[in-house]
Amino acid sequence: MQMKNSVLGYFPDNLEKLILKEVKDKFNKLEEIRFRVMRPIILKLNDEEIIIKYNLSTEEILSIMGRICENSIYSYQNEIASRFCNYKRWT
Protein backbone atom coordinates (compact mmCIF):
# COMPACT_ATOMS: atom_id res chain seq x y z
CA MET A 1 0.00 0.00 0.00
CA GLN A 2 2.96 2.36 0.42
CA MET A 3 3.42 2.41 -3.37
CA LYS A 4 -0.24 3.29 -3.88
CA ASN A 5 -0.03 6.19 -1.48
CA SER A 6 3.22 7.46 -3.00
CA VAL A 7 2.42 7.17 -6.70
CA LEU A 8 -1.20 8.22 -6.68
CA GLY A 9 -0.49 11.09 -4.32
CA TYR A 10 0.79 13.01 -7.35
CA PHE A 11 -2.61 12.83 -9.02
CA PRO A 12 -5.69 14.92 -8.18
CA ASP A 13 -8.19 13.08 -5.97
CA ASN A 14 -10.65 12.45 -8.79
CA LEU A 15 -7.96 10.77 -10.92
CA GLU A 16 -6.63 8.78 -7.99
CA LYS A 17 -10.10 7.35 -7.41
CA LEU A 18 -10.57 6.66 -11.12
CA ILE A 19 -7.25 4.79 -11.38
CA LEU A 20 -7.97 2.76 -8.24
CA LYS A 21 -11.42 1.88 -9.58
CA GLU A 22 -9.90 0.60 -12.83
CA VAL A 23 -7.05 -1.46 -11.37
CA LYS A 24 -9.07 -2.72 -8.38
CA ASP A 25 -7.05 -5.46 -6.67
CA LYS A 26 -4.33 -5.49 -9.36
CA PHE A 27 -2.54 -2.39 -8.10
CA ASN A 28 0.56 -4.39 -7.22
CA LYS A 29 0.88 -5.28 -10.94
CA LEU A 30 0.90 -1.63 -12.05
CA GLU A 31 4.13 -0.85 -13.89
CA GLU A 32 3.43 2.34 -15.77
CA ILE A 33 0.94 5.20 -15.96
CA ARG A 34 0.91 6.97 -19.33
CA PHE A 35 -0.76 10.33 -19.58
CA ARG A 36 -0.81 12.94 -22.32
CA VAL A 37 -2.83 16.08 -22.95
CA MET A 38 -6.32 15.38 -24.31
CA ARG A 39 -5.62 11.65 -24.60
CA PRO A 40 -6.87 8.69 -22.55
CA ILE A 41 -4.82 7.52 -19.56
CA ILE A 42 -3.13 4.15 -20.12
CA LEU A 43 -2.28 1.89 -17.21
CA LYS A 44 0.33 -0.74 -18.00
CA LEU A 45 0.08 -3.80 -15.77
CA ASN A 46 2.32 -6.88 -15.91
CA ASP A 47 0.14 -8.70 -18.40
CA GLU A 48 -2.36 -6.15 -19.68
CA GLU A 49 -3.13 -2.53 -20.48
CA ILE A 50 -6.13 -0.67 -19.17
CA ILE A 51 -7.33 2.39 -21.05
CA ILE A 52 -9.18 4.97 -18.99
CA LYS A 53 -11.39 7.12 -21.17
CA TYR A 54 -10.54 10.35 -19.43
CA ASN A 55 -8.80 13.10 -21.37
CA LEU A 56 -6.45 15.14 -19.22
CA SER A 57 -6.40 18.90 -19.74
CA THR A 58 -3.20 20.88 -20.05
CA GLU A 59 -3.80 22.29 -16.56
CA GLU A 60 -4.15 18.80 -15.06
CA ILE A 61 -0.92 17.65 -16.74
CA LEU A 62 0.93 20.71 -15.48
CA SER A 63 -0.41 20.13 -11.97
CA ILE A 64 0.65 16.48 -11.97
CA MET A 65 4.08 17.26 -13.42
CA GLY A 66 4.57 20.06 -10.91
CA ARG A 67 3.90 17.62 -8.08
CA ILE A 68 6.15 14.93 -9.55
CA CYS A 69 9.00 17.40 -10.13
CA GLU A 70 8.46 19.17 -6.83
CA ASN A 71 7.95 22.34 -8.91
CA SER A 72 11.49 22.06 -10.26
CA ILE A 73 11.03 20.79 -13.79
CA TYR A 74 14.65 21.72 -14.54
CA SER A 75 15.95 18.99 -12.21
CA TYR A 76 13.85 16.40 -14.06
CA GLN A 77 14.42 17.68 -17.58
CA ASN A 78 16.41 14.64 -18.75
CA GLU A 79 13.69 12.24 -17.62
CA ILE A 80 10.98 14.41 -19.12
CA ALA A 81 12.88 14.68 -22.42
CA SER A 82 13.02 10.88 -22.55
CA ARG A 83 9.24 10.93 -21.87
CA PHE A 84 9.19 9.19 -18.52
CA CYS A 85 9.89 9.71 -14.83
CA ASN A 86 11.01 6.66 -12.94
CA TYR A 87 8.98 5.84 -9.83
CA LYS A 88 12.07 4.73 -7.88
CA ARG A 89 13.30 8.31 -7.94
CA TRP A 90 10.06 9.37 -6.24
CA THR A 91 10.37 7.05 -3.26
Side-chain angles (χ1 to χ4, degrees), residues 7-12 15 33-37 56-86 89-90:
V7 171
L8 295 183
Y10 293 102
F11 290 85
L15 292 177
I33 301 172
R34 299 177 191 165
F35 55 93
R36 298 173 288 173
V37 175
L56 290 163
S57 68
T58 301
E59 292 79 18
E60 288 171 313
I61 294 282
L62 290 173
S63 173
I64 294 166
M65 290 304 296
R67 291 175 184 185
I68 290 171
C69 297
E70 299 170 347
N71 293 316
S72 179
I73 291 178
Y74 175 78
S75 66
Y76 287 79
Q77 71 182 3
N78 291 335
E79 291 180 30
I80 294 168
S82 63
R83 298 184 179 172
F84 73 93
C85 287
N86 189 334
R89 181 168 178 177
W90 306 350

